[in-house]
Coordinates of all heavy atoms in Angstrom, one line a residue:
M1 N 233.9 -146.6 67.6 CA 233.3 -146.9 68.9 C 231.8 -147.0 68.7 O 231.1 -147.7 69.6 CB 233.6 -146.0 70.0 CG 232.9 -146.2 71.3 SD 233.9 -145.8 72.7 CE 233.7 -144.1 72.5
S2 N 231.1 -146.3 67.8 CA 229.8 -146.3 67.7 C 229.1 -147.6 67.4 O 227.9 -147.9 67.7 CB 229.2 -145.3 66.6 OG 229.8 -145.7 65.2
A3 N 229.8 -148.5 66.9 CA 229.3 -149.9 66.5 C 229.1 -150.6 67.8 O 228.3 -151.7 67.7 CB 230.3 -150.6 65.6
I4 N 229.7 -150.3 68.9 CA 229.5 -151.2 70.1 C 228.6 -150.5 71.1 O 228.4 -151.1 72.1 CB 230.9 -151.5 70.8 CG1 231.6 -150.1 71.2 CG2 231.8 -152.3 69.9 CD1 232.7 -150.4 72.2
M5 N 228.0 -149.3 70.7 CA 227.2 -148.6 71.9 C 226.0 -148.3 71.2 O 225.9 -147.9 70.0 CB 227.9 -147.5 72.3 CG 229.1 -147.6 73.2 SD 229.7 -145.9 73.9 CE 230.8 -146.5 75.0
T6 N 224.8 -148.3 71.9 CA 223.6 -147.8 71.6 C 223.6 -146.3 71.6 O 224.7 -145.7 72.1 CB 222.5 -148.3 72.4 OG1 222.7 -147.6 73.8 CG2 222.5 -149.8 72.5
L7 N 222.7 -145.7 70.9 CA 222.6 -144.2 70.9 C 222.5 -143.5 72.4 O 223.2 -142.7 72.8 CB 221.4 -143.7 70.1 CG 221.3 -142.2 70.0 CD1 222.6 -141.6 69.3 CD2 220.1 -141.9 69.2
A8 N 221.8 -144.4 73.3 CA 221.7 -143.9 74.6 C 223.0 -144.0 75.4 O 223.5 -143.0 76.1 CB 220.6 -144.7 75.4
E9 N 223.7 -145.1 75.1 CA 225.0 -145.3 75.7 C 226.0 -144.3 75.2 O 226.8 -143.7 76.1 CB 225.4 -146.7 75.4 CG 224.7 -147.7 76.2 CD 225.0 -149.2 75.6 OE1 225.4 -149.5 74.5 OE2 225.0 -150.0 76.4
M10 N 225.9 -143.8 73.9 CA 226.9 -142.9 73.4 C 226.6 -141.6 74.0 O 227.5 -140.7 74.2 CB 226.8 -142.8 71.8 CG 227.4 -144.0 71.1 SD 227.5 -143.7 69.4 CE 225.9 -144.1 68.8
K11 N 225.3 -141.2 74.2 CA 225.0 -140.0 74.9 C 225.6 -139.9 76.2 O 226.1 -138.8 76.7 CB 223.4 -139.7 74.8 CG 222.9 -139.3 73.4 CD 221.4 -139.3 73.5 CE 220.8 -139.0 72.1 NZ 219.3 -138.6 72.2
E12 N 225.3 -141.1 76.9 CA 225.8 -141.0 78.5 C 227.4 -141.0 78.4 O 227.9 -140.0 79.1 CB 225.5 -142.3 79.0 CG 226.1 -142.6 80.4 CD 225.7 -143.9 81.0 OE1 225.6 -144.9 80.2 OE2 225.8 -143.9 82.3
Y13 N 228.0 -141.5 77.6 CA 229.5 -141.5 77.5 C 230.0 -140.1 77.0 O 230.9 -139.6 77.8 CB 230.0 -142.5 76.3 CG 231.5 -142.7 76.3 CD1 232.2 -143.6 77.2 CD2 232.3 -141.9 75.3 CE1 233.5 -143.7 77.2 CE2 233.5 -142.1 75.3 CZ 234.2 -142.9 76.3 OH 235.6 -143.1 76.2
L14 N 229.4 -139.4 76.0 CA 229.6 -138.2 75.6 C 229.4 -137.1 76.8 O 230.2 -136.2 77.1 CB 228.8 -137.6 74.5 CG 229.0 -136.2 73.8 CD1 230.5 -136.1 73.6 CD2 228.0 -136.0 72.7
A15 N 228.3 -137.4 77.6 CA 228.0 -136.5 78.6 C 229.3 -136.5 79.7 O 229.6 -135.5 80.1 CB 226.8 -136.8 79.3
Y16 N 229.7 -137.7 79.9 CA 230.9 -137.9 80.7 C 232.0 -137.1 80.2 O 232.8 -136.5 81.0 CB 231.1 -139.4 81.1 CG 230.2 -140.1 82.1 CD1 229.6 -141.2 81.8 CD2 230.1 -139.4 83.3 CE1 228.8 -141.8 82.8 CE2 229.2 -140.0 84.3 CZ 228.6 -141.2 84.0 OH 228.0 -141.8 85.0
C17 N 232.4 -137.4 78.9 CA 233.5 -136.7 78.2 C 233.4 -135.2 78.5 O 234.5 -134.7 78.7 CB 233.4 -137.0 76.7 SG 234.0 -138.8 76.3
L18 N 232.3 -134.7 78.2 CA 232.1 -133.2 78.4 C 232.3 -132.8 79.9 O 232.6 -131.6 80.1 CB 230.6 -132.7 78.0 CG 230.4 -133.0 76.5 CD1 229.0 -132.6 76.1 CD2 231.3 -132.2 75.7
E19 N 232.3 -133.6 80.9 CA 232.6 -133.2 82.3 C 234.1 -133.2 82.4 O 234.5 -132.5 83.4 CB 232.0 -134.3 83.1 CG 230.6 -134.2 83.3 CD 230.0 -135.4 84.2 OE1 230.9 -135.9 85.1 OE2 228.8 -135.8 84.2
G20 N 234.9 -133.6 81.5 CA 236.4 -133.5 81.5 C 236.9 -134.8 82.4 O 236.3 -135.9 82.5
P21 N 238.2 -134.5 82.8 CA 238.9 -135.7 83.3 C 238.3 -136.3 84.6 O 238.6 -137.5 85.0 CB 240.3 -135.1 83.6 CG 240.4 -133.9 82.9 CD 239.0 -133.4 82.6
S22 N 237.6 -135.4 85.4 CA 236.9 -136.0 86.5 C 236.1 -137.3 86.2 O 235.7 -138.1 87.2 CB 236.2 -135.0 87.3 OG 234.9 -134.6 86.5
S23 N 235.6 -137.4 85.1 CA 234.6 -138.5 84.8 C 235.4 -139.7 84.1 O 234.7 -140.7 83.6 CB 233.5 -138.2 83.8 OG 234.1 -137.7 82.7
I24 N 236.6 -139.8 84.1 CA 237.4 -140.9 83.5 C 237.0 -142.1 84.1 O 237.0 -143.2 83.4 CB 239.0 -140.5 83.5 CG1 239.2 -139.5 82.3 CG2 239.7 -141.8 83.2 CD1 240.6 -139.0 82.3
P25 N 237.0 -142.3 85.4 CA 236.6 -143.5 86.0 C 235.3 -144.0 85.6 O 235.2 -145.3 85.2 CB 236.6 -143.3 87.5 CG 237.5 -142.2 87.7 CD 237.4 -141.3 86.5
E26 N 234.3 -143.2 85.4 CA 233.0 -143.6 84.8 C 233.1 -144.1 83.4 O 232.5 -145.2 83.0 CB 232.0 -142.5 85.0 CG 231.5 -142.2 86.3 CD 232.5 -141.4 87.1 OE1 233.5 -140.8 86.5 OE2 232.1 -141.0 88.3
R27 N 233.9 -143.4 82.6 CA 234.1 -143.9 81.2 C 234.9 -145.2 81.1 O 234.5 -146.0 80.2 CB 234.9 -142.7 80.5 CG 234.0 -141.5 80.2 CD 234.7 -140.4 79.4 NE 235.5 -139.5 80.3 CZ 236.3 -138.6 79.9 NH1 236.8 -138.6 78.8 NH2 236.8 -137.8 80.9
K28 N 235.8 -145.3 81.9 CA 236.5 -146.6 82.0 C 235.7 -147.7 82.3 O 235.7 -148.8 81.8 CB 237.7 -146.5 83.0 CG 238.9 -145.8 82.4 CD 240.1 -146.0 83.4 CE 240.4 -147.3 83.6 NZ 241.6 -147.7 83.4
E29 N 234.7 -147.5 83.2 CA 233.7 -148.6 83.6 C 232.8 -149.0 82.4 O 232.5 -150.0 82.1 CB 232.9 -148.2 84.8 CG 232.0 -149.1 85.3 CD 232.5 -150.4 85.7 OE1 233.6 -150.5 86.1 OE2 231.7 -151.4 85.6
I30 N 232.4 -147.9 81.8 CA 231.4 -148.1 80.6 C 232.2 -148.9 79.6 O 231.7 -149.9 79.0 CB 231.0 -146.7 79.9 CG1 230.1 -146.0 80.8 CG2 230.5 -147.0 78.5 CD1 229.7 -144.6 80.4
L31 N 233.4 -148.7 79.2 CA 234.3 -149.4 78.3 C 234.5 -150.8 78.7 O 234.6 -151.8 78.1 CB 235.5 -148.7 78.0 CG 235.4 -147.3 77.3 CD1 236.7 -146.6 77.2 CD2 234.7 -147.4 76.0
A32 N 234.7 -151.0 80.1 CA 235.0 -152.3 80.6 C 233.9 -153.2 80.5 O 233.9 -154.3 80.2 CB 235.4 -152.2 82.1
V33 N 232.6 -152.6 80.8 CA 231.4 -153.5 80.6 C 231.1 -153.8 79.1 O 230.7 -154.8 78.8 CB 230.2 -152.6 81.2 CG1 228.9 -153.1 80.8 CG2 230.3 -152.5 82.7
K34 N 231.4 -152.7 78.3 CA 231.3 -153.2 76.9 C 232.3 -154.2 76.4 O 231.8 -155.0 75.6 CB 231.4 -151.8 76.0 CG 230.2 -151.0 75.9 CD 229.3 -151.8 75.2 CE 227.9 -151.1 75.3 NZ 226.8 -151.9 74.9
K35 N 233.4 -154.0 76.9 CA 234.5 -155.1 76.4 C 234.1 -156.5 76.9 O 234.0 -157.5 76.1 CB 235.8 -154.7 77.1 CG 237.0 -155.8 76.8 CD 238.2 -155.3 77.5 CE 239.3 -156.3 77.1 NZ 240.6 -156.0 77.6
E36 N 233.5 -156.6 78.1 CA 233.1 -157.9 78.7 C 231.9 -158.5 77.7 O 231.9 -159.6 77.5 CB 232.6 -157.7 80.0 CG 233.8 -157.7 81.0 CD 234.8 -158.8 81.0 OE1 234.4 -160.1 80.9 OE2 236.0 -158.6 80.9
A37 N 231.1 -157.6 77.4 CA 230.0 -158.1 76.5 C 230.5 -158.5 75.1 O 229.9 -159.7 74.6 CB 228.9 -156.9 76.3
L38 N 231.4 -157.8 74.5 CA 232.0 -158.2 73.4 C 232.7 -159.6 73.4 O 232.6 -160.3 72.5 CB 232.8 -157.1 72.9 CG 232.2 -155.7 72.3 CD1 233.1 -154.6 72.1 CD2 231.3 -156.1 71.0
L39 N 233.6 -159.6 74.5 CA 234.1 -160.9 74.7 C 233.3 -162.0 74.7 O 233.5 -163.1 74.2 CB 235.1 -160.9 76.0 CG 236.3 -159.9 75.8 CD1 237.0 -159.7 77.2 CD2 237.3 -160.5 74.8
A40 N 232.1 -161.8 75.4 CA 231.1 -162.9 75.5 C 230.4 -163.1 74.2 O 230.4 -164.5 73.8 CB 230.0 -162.5 76.6
S41 N 230.4 -162.2 73.4 CA 229.7 -162.4 72.0 C 230.8 -163.1 71.2 O 230.4 -164.0 70.4 CB 229.5 -161.0 71.3 OG 228.5 -160.4 72.0
M42 N 232.0 -162.8 71.2 CA 233.1 -163.4 70.5 C 233.3 -164.9 70.9 O 233.4 -165.7 70.0 CB 234.5 -162.7 70.8 CG 234.7 -161.5 70.2 SD 236.2 -160.5 70.5 CE 237.5 -161.9 70.3
E43 N 233.0 -165.2 72.1 CA 233.1 -166.6 72.6 C 231.9 -167.5 72.0 O 232.1 -168.6 71.4 CB 233.0 -166.8 74.0 CG 233.1 -168.2 74.6 CD 233.0 -168.1 76.2 OE1 233.4 -167.2 76.8 OE2 232.8 -169.3 76.6
K44 N 230.7 -166.8 71.9 CA 229.6 -167.5 71.3 C 229.9 -167.7 69.8 O 229.5 -168.7 69.3 CB 228.3 -166.7 71.6 CG 227.7 -166.8 72.9 CD 226.6 -166.0 73.1 CE 226.0 -165.9 74.4 NZ 224.9 -165.0 74.6
L45 N 230.4 -166.7 69.1 CA 230.6 -166.8 67.8 C 231.7 -167.8 67.5 O 231.6 -168.6 66.5 CB 231.1 -165.5 67.1 CG 230.0 -164.4 67.1 CD1 230.8 -163.0 66.5 CD2 229.1 -164.8 66.0
Q46 N 232.8 -167.9 68.3 CA 233.8 -168.9 68.1 C 233.3 -170.3 68.2 O 233.6 -171.2 67.5 CB 235.0 -168.6 69.1 CG 236.2 -169.5 68.8 CD 236.7 -169.2 67.4 OE1 237.1 -168.1 66.9 NE2 236.7 -170.4 66.6
K47 N 232.4 -170.5 69.2 CA 231.7 -171.9 69.4 C 231.0 -172.2 68.2 O 231.0 -173.4 67.6 CB 230.9 -171.8 70.7 CG 231.7 -171.8 71.9 CD 230.8 -171.9 73.2 CE 231.5 -171.9 74.4 NZ 230.8 -172.0 75.6
A48 N 230.2 -171.3 67.6 CA 229.5 -171.6 66.3 C 230.3 -171.8 65.3 O 230.3 -172.8 64.5 CB 228.7 -170.3 66.0
I49 N 231.4 -171.1 65.0 CA 232.4 -171.5 64.0 C 233.1 -172.7 64.3 O 233.3 -173.4 63.2 CB 233.5 -170.2 64.0 CG1 232.8 -168.9 63.5 CG2 234.8 -170.6 63.1 CD1 233.7 -167.6 63.5
D50 N 233.5 -173.0 65.4 CA 234.0 -174.3 65.8 C 233.1 -175.6 65.4 O 233.6 -176.5 64.7 CB 234.4 -174.5 67.2 CG 235.5 -173.5 67.5 OD1 236.2 -173.0 66.7 OD2 235.7 -173.4 68.8
Y51 N 231.8 -175.5 65.7 CA 230.8 -176.4 65.3 C 230.8 -176.6 63.8 O 230.8 -177.7 63.2 CB 229.3 -176.1 65.8 CG 228.5 -177.1 65.4 CD1 228.3 -178.3 66.0 CD2 227.6 -176.9 64.3 CE1 227.5 -179.3 65.5 CE2 226.6 -177.7 63.9 CZ 226.6 -179.0 64.5 OH 225.8 -180.0 64.0
I52 N 230.8 -175.4 63.1 CA 230.7 -175.5 61.5 C 232.0 -176.2 61.0 O 231.9 -177.0 60.1 CB 230.5 -174.1 61.0 CG1 229.1 -173.6 61.3 CG2 230.8 -174.0 59.5 CD1 228.9 -172.1 60.9
D53 N 233.2 -175.7 61.6 CA 234.4 -176.6 61.2 C 234.3 -178.0 61.4 O 234.7 -178.8 60.6 CB 235.5 -175.9 61.8 CG 235.9 -174.6 61.3 OD1 235.5 -174.0 60.4 OD2 236.7 -173.8 62.2
W54 N 233.8 -178.4 62.5 CA 233.6 -179.7 63.0 C 232.8 -180.5 61.9 O 232.9 -181.6 61.3 CB 233.1 -180.0 64.4 CG 232.9 -181.4 64.7 CD1 233.6 -182.3 65.0 CD2 231.6 -182.0 64.5 NE1 233.1 -183.6 65.2 CE2 231.7 -183.4 64.8 CE3 230.3 -181.6 64.2 CZ2 230.7 -184.3 64.9 CZ3 229.3 -182.5 64.1 CH2 229.5 -183.8 64.5
K55 N 231.5 -179.8 61.6 CA 230.6 -180.4 60.7 C 231.2 -180.6 59.3 O 230.9 -181.6 58.7 CB 229.3 -179.6 60.8 CG 228.1 -180.3 60.2 CD 227.6 -181.4 61.1 CE 226.3 -181.9 60.6 NZ 225.9 -183.0 61.5
Q56 N 231.8 -179.6 58.8 CA 232.5 -179.6 57.5 C 233.5 -180.7 57.4 O 233.6 -181.6 56.5 CB 233.1 -178.2 57.2 CG 232.0 -177.2 56.8 CD 232.7 -175.9 56.4 OE1 233.6 -175.5 56.9 NE2 232.0 -175.3 55.4
N57 N 234.3 -180.9 58.6 CA 235.3 -182.0 58.6 C 234.6 -183.4 58.7 O 235.0 -184.4 58.0 CB 236.1 -181.8 59.8 CG 237.2 -180.9 59.6 OD1 237.6 -180.5 58.6 ND2 237.6 -180.2 60.7
F58 N 233.4 -183.5 59.4 CA 232.7 -184.7 59.4 C 232.2 -185.0 57.9 O 232.3 -186.1 57.4 CB 231.4 -184.5 60.2 CG 230.4 -185.6 60.1 CD1 230.7 -186.8 60.8 CD2 229.2 -185.4 59.6 CE1 229.7 -187.8 60.8 CE2 228.2 -186.3 59.4 CZ 228.5 -187.6 60.0
Y59 N 231.7 -184.0 57.2 CA 231.2 -184.3 55.9 C 232.4 -184.7 55.0 O 232.2 -185.6 54.1 CB 230.5 -183.1 55.3 CG 229.0 -182.7 56.0 CD1 228.6 -181.5 56.1 CD2 228.2 -183.8 56.4 CE1 227.4 -181.2 56.8 CE2 227.0 -183.6 56.9 CZ 226.6 -182.2 57.1 OH 225.4 -182.1 57.7
D60 N 233.5 -184.0 55.1 CA 234.7 -184.4 54.2 C 235.0 -185.9 54.6 O 235.3 -186.7 53.6 CB 235.8 -183.5 54.6 CG 235.7 -182.1 54.1 OD1 234.8 -181.9 53.1 OD2 236.4 -181.1 54.5
D61 N 235.1 -186.3 55.9 CA 235.3 -187.6 56.2 C 234.3 -188.6 55.5 O 234.7 -189.7 55.1 CB 235.4 -187.8 57.6 CG 236.7 -187.1 58.2 OD1 237.5 -186.7 57.5 OD2 236.8 -187.1 59.5
V62 N 233.0 -188.2 55.6 CA 232.0 -189.1 54.9 C 232.2 -189.1 53.4 O 232.2 -190.3 52.8 CB 230.6 -188.6 55.3 CG1 229.5 -189.4 54.5 CG2 230.3 -188.7 56.7
L63 N 232.5 -188.0 52.8 CA 232.6 -188.0 51.4 C 233.8 -188.9 51.0 O 233.8 -189.3 49.8 CB 232.6 -186.6 50.9 CG 231.3 -185.9 51.0 CD1 231.5 -184.3 50.6 CD2 230.3 -186.5 50.2
S64 N 234.8 -188.8 51.8 CA 236.1 -189.6 51.4 C 236.0 -190.9 51.8 O 237.1 -191.7 51.3 CB 237.3 -188.8 52.1 OG 237.3 -189.0 53.4
G65 N 235.0 -191.3 52.4 CA 234.9 -192.8 52.8 C 235.6 -193.2 54.1 O 235.7 -194.3 54.4
K66 N 236.1 -192.1 54.7 CA 236.9 -192.5 55.9 C 236.0 -192.9 57.1 O 236.4 -193.8 57.9 CB 237.7 -191.1 56.4 CG 238.5 -191.1 57.6 CD 239.3 -189.8 57.7 CE 240.2 -190.0 59.0 NZ 240.8 -188.6 59.3
I67 N 234.8 -192.3 57.1 CA 233.8 -192.8 58.1 C 232.5 -193.0 57.4 O 232.3 -192.5 56.3 CB 233.7 -191.7 59.3 CG1 233.1 -190.4 58.8 CG2 234.9 -191.6 60.0 CD1 232.7 -189.5 59.8
E68 N 231.7 -193.8 58.1 CA 230.2 -193.9 57.6 C 229.2 -192.9 58.1 O 229.4 -192.3 59.2 CB 229.8 -195.3 58.2 CG 228.5 -195.9 57.4 CD 228.1 -197.2 58.0 OE1 229.0 -198.2 58.2 OE2 226.9 -197.4 58.1
Y69 N 228.4 -192.5 57.2 CA 227.4 -191.4 57.6 C 226.3 -191.9 58.6 O 225.7 -193.0 58.5 CB 226.7 -191.0 56.3 CG 225.7 -189.8 56.7 CD1 226.2 -188.6 57.0 CD2 224.4 -190.1 56.6 CE1 225.3 -187.5 57.3 CE2 223.6 -189.1 56.9 CZ 223.9 -187.9 57.2 OH 223.0 -186.8 57.5
H70 N 226.1 -191.1 59.6 CA 225.0 -191.4 60.6 C 224.5 -190.0 60.9 O 225.2 -189.1 61.0 CB 225.6 -192.0 62.1 CG 226.1 -193.3 61.8 ND1 225.4 -194.5 61.7 CD2 227.5 -193.7 61.7 CE1 226.2 -195.6 61.6 NE2 227.5 -195.1 61.6
S71 N 223.2 -190.0 60.9 CA 222.4 -188.8 61.1 C 221.8 -188.7 62.5 O 221.3 -189.8 62.9 CB 221.3 -188.7 60.1 OG 220.4 -187.4 60.5
N72 N 221.7 -187.7 63.1 CA 221.0 -187.5 64.5 C 219.6 -187.2 64.2 O 218.7 -187.2 65.1 CB 221.6 -186.3 65.2 CG 223.1 -186.5 65.6 OD1 223.4 -187.7 65.8 ND2 223.9 -185.5 65.7
L73 N 219.2 -186.9 62.8 CA 217.8 -186.6 62.6 C 216.9 -187.7 62.1 O 215.7 -187.7 62.3 CB 217.8 -185.5 61.6 CG 218.6 -184.1 62.1 CD1 218.7 -183.1 60.8 CD2 218.0 -183.5 63.2
I74 N 217.7 -188.6 61.4 CA 216.9 -189.7 60.8 C 217.7 -191.1 61.1 O 218.8 -191.0 61.3 CB 216.6 -189.7 59.2 CG1 217.8 -189.4 58.5 CG2 215.7 -188.5 59.0 CD1 217.7 -189.4 57.0
S75 N 217.0 -192.1 61.2 CA 217.4 -193.4 61.6 C 218.4 -193.9 60.3 O 218.1 -193.5 59.2 CB 216.5 -194.5 61.8 OG 215.7 -194.8 60.7
D76 N 219.3 -194.9 60.8 CA 220.1 -195.5 59.7 C 219.2 -196.2 58.7 O 219.6 -196.3 57.5 CB 221.1 -196.4 60.4 CG 222.3 -195.6 61.0 OD1 222.4 -194.3 60.7 OD2 222.9 -196.2 61.9
E77 N 218.2 -196.8 59.1 CA 217.4 -197.5 58.3 C 216.7 -196.7 57.2 O 216.6 -197.0 56.0 CB 216.2 -198.2 59.1 CG 216.6 -199.4 60.0 CD 217.2 -198.9 61.2 OE1 216.7 -197.7 61.8 OE2 218.0 -199.6 61.9
E78 N 216.2 -195.5 57.6 CA 215.8 -194.5 56.6 C 216.8 -194.0 55.7 O 216.5 -193.9 54.5 CB 215.1 -193.3 57.5 CG 213.9 -193.6 58.2 CD 213.4 -192.3 59.0 OE1 213.9 -192.2 60.0 OE2 212.5 -191.6 58.5
I79 N 218.0 -193.9 56.1 CA 219.0 -193.5 55.2 C 219.3 -194.6 54.2 O 219.5 -194.3 53.0 CB 220.4 -193.2 56.1 CG1 220.1 -191.9 57.0 CG2 221.5 -193.1 55.0 CD1 221.4 -191.8 57.9
A80 N 219.3 -195.8 54.7 CA 219.5 -197.0 53.8 C 218.4 -197.0 52.7 O 218.6 -197.3 51.5 CB 219.6 -198.2 54.5
Q81 N 217.2 -196.8 53.2 CA 216.0 -196.7 52.2 C 216.1 -195.8 51.1 O 215.9 -195.9 49.9 CB 214.8 -196.6 52.9 CG 214.4 -197.9 53.6 CD 213.1 -197.5 54.6 OE1 212.6 -196.4 54.7 NE2 212.5 -198.5 55.3
K82 N 216.7 -194.5 51.5 CA 216.8 -193.3 50.5 C 218.0 -193.7 49.7 O 218.0 -193.2 48.5 CB 216.9 -192.1 51.4 CG 215.7 -191.6 52.0 CD 216.0 -190.3 52.8 CE 214.8 -190.1 53.7 NZ 214.2 -188.8 53.3
A83 N 218.9 -194.4 50.0 CA 220.1 -194.6 49.2 C 219.7 -195.7 48.1 O 220.4 -195.7 47.0 CB 221.1 -195.2 50.1
Q84 N 218.7 -196.4 48.3 CA 218.2 -197.4 47.4 C 217.7 -197.0 46.1 O 217.0 -196.1 45.7 CB 217.3 -198.5 47.9 CG 218.1 -199.3 49.0 CD 217.1 -200.3 49.8 OE1 215.9 -200.3 49.5 NE2 217.7 -201.0 50.6

């Protein structure tokens, strides 16, 4: 659990733990907030991975001749000049 909590958060959580069962609702809330933050992080990471997968497939298609290369960074004319 330490990887998902800051030191201050761990101290707060531990303080609740030392209070006993009466603080279980507070501990559950801390964990629920952490879970939501982690799920949001996972979503961002998945979107980044999906983009990388898409880009690698794009490059594979270009290399195999399935599609023609186009860049969002430089014009087709500049690409043609560099190919000569």
Side-chain angles (χ1 to χ4, degrees):
M1 180 155 66
S2 63
I4 63 168
M5 290 187 172
T6 65
L7 186 56
E9 291 168 330
M10 285 190 279
K11 286 180 179 181
E12 177 187 23
Y13 189 83
L14 178 58
Y16 282 127
C17 289
L18 295 174
E19 289 179 17
S22 65
S23 67
I24 288 175
E26 289 83 0
R27 288 183 265 165
K28 284 187 55 128
E29 179 61 24
I30 289 170
L31 294 176
V33 168
K34 277 297 166 186
K35 181 179 179 179
E36 286 302 312
L38 288 169
L39 288 171
S41 294
M42 285 175 53
E43 185 178 339
K44 287 180 183 177
L45 287 171
Q46 188 59 56
K47 286 180 180 180
I49 291 168
D50 290 346
Y51 175 77
I52 289 171
D53 288 344
W54 173 83
K55 196 66 167 182
Q56 286 182 323
N57 287 331
F58 169 76
Y59 289 146
D60 287 342
D61 288 347
V62 169
L63 291 172
S64 70
K66 185 176 179 181
I67 62 171
E68 190 174 323
Y69 179 76
H70 295 281
S71 173
N72 295 331
L73 301 175
I74 59 175
S75 69
D76 289 342
E77 293 81 25
E78 289 175 281
I79 293 170
Q81 287 175 355
K82 290 181 189 242
Q84 294 174 353

